Amino acid sequence: MSKESDYSETTALMIRWAAGDEVALNRILERHLVRLRQIVRNRLGSKLRENLDSEDLVHDALVEFLRYGPPIKPANGRQFRRLMATIIENSLRTRYRWFKARRREMLSNIDDSQNLTLDLSHLESATPPPDKEVAEKEMANRIRFVLEFLPPDSRDIFIMREMQRCPFSEIGEEFGISSDAARMRHGRARNELKTGLAKLRTADFESWMESPYA
């Protein structure tokens, strides 16, 4: 399959899916699910691979992101698979049920007019929207997207502190660490998010999100 046909097919399907076309979702799964299963299986450790043999966790994690994560417009099928493989792997490693609920909560706080599609097909030329309100809505979706690539503990601590306003004592209790350690991890998570947001506007983003929890 040529690069151009892959671009037009995968990108067009994701645009259709963002508009609510359920047929497009089925086509996306048909086109990419088998290869994503293999990619994720190769990345996971033996313990998690055992679960993949008995449950279709890759399918569930992919559909969960497509339904409740920020809508994206990938450059082509290759980029789509790279992004999804990392998101799926990250989702399956720890606290998946907890994060699924938080992802849905984040979406519930964004109405349809605010759920702007992130165009990942021209990263180097991306510029912030001139309208302040639109820029703020886009930033909310960029944060949701970059959170998918943070180490699970960093991601979850950031959400607990920034979005649920949990005190550090509660976060520490949740993770079995001291309040001071929770505060330090939160600071690290903020820096990781800041790095991801900066990379998201450049061609370096794909390399960043595939590094071992940059």
Side-chain angles (χ1 to χ4, degrees):
M1 180 176 297
S2 70
K3 182 177 180 180
E4 177 58 31
S5 64
D6 188 46
Y7 170 92
S8 21
E9 179 74 11
T10 299
T11 307
L13 286 172
M14 286 296 290
I15 293 171
R16 285 169 51 191
W17 166 240
D21 184 347
E22 289 285 337
V23 173
L25 175 61
N26 292 332
R27 292 282 301 280
I28 292 165
L29 297 177
E30 290 171 1
R31 187 174 182 84
H32 297 289
L33 186 56
V34 171
R35 294 179 69 179
L36 278 170
R37 285 194 186 107
Q38 188 58 51
I39 294 169
V40 173
R41 183 178 178 81
N42 290 342
R43 288 185 178 187
L44 294 177
S46 58
K47 184 175 181 180
L48 284 173
R49 281 201 299 268
E50 290 175 3
N51 292 333
L52 294 181
D53 291 335
S54 59
E55 302 177 61
D56 202 346
L57 298 181
V58 173
H59 172 279
D60 293 348
L62 175 60
V63 172
E64 185 74 17
F65 172 78
L66 292 176
R67 289 196 181 280
Y68 300 104
I72 63 171
K73 176 187 171 185
N76 49 49
R78 175 180 172 276
Q79 185 194 60
F80 175 78
R81 287 188 298 273
R82 291 181 70 186
L83 294 169
M84 292 305 103
T86 302
I87 288 172
I88 292 167
E89 178 191 5
N90 212 8
S91 295
L92 298 181
R93 286 196 175 277
T94 184
R95 293 168 59 89
Y96 181 41
R97 290 176 183 267
W98 185 91
F99 179 57
K100 281 172 62 176
R102 304 296 82 74
R103 183 194 273 150
R104 294 186 183 202
E105 286 175 5
M106 284 187 278
L107 177 60
S108 70
N109 292 327
I110 299 177
D111 63 39
D112 290 342
S113 66
Q114 294 175 318
N115 207 21
L116 304 177
T117 298
L118 298 181
D119 187 350
L120 305 178
S121 60
H122 299 91
L123 291 175
E124 290 180 308
S125 62
T127 56
D131 182 270
K132 181 180 178 181
E133 183 177 0
V134 173
E136 289 175 350
K137 294 172 182 177
E138 182 182 284
M139 178 55 71
N141 270 355
R142 286 179 175 273
I143 290 172
R144 291 169 62 208
F145 186 64
V146 172
L147 281 173
E148 299 281 349
F149 300 96
L150 296 190
D153 284 359
S154 294
R155 174 196 68 200
D156 298 350
I157 287 173
F158 181 89
I159 291 173
M160 289 184 71
R161 180 63 180 176
E162 300 290 335
M163 300 178 182
Q164 297 184 316
R165 302 300 181 187
C166 296
F168 287 116
S169 58
E170 182 178 335
I171 296 172
E173 184 177 350
E174 178 74 16
F175 286 87
I177 57 179
S178 68
S179 297
D180 287 343
R183 188 186 303 274
M184 291 179 63
R185 289 197 189 182
H186 170 254
R188 184 173 64 193
R190 285 176 60 90
N191 288 335
E192 290 167 340
L193 181 73
K194 183 178 179 180
T195 297
L197 288 171
K199 293 289 186 183
L200 186 53
R201 293 198 182 278
T202 74
D204 293 335
F205 181 70
E206 288 188 45
S207 297
W208 176 84
M209 63 89 185
E210 283 198 332
S211 65
Y213 299 137

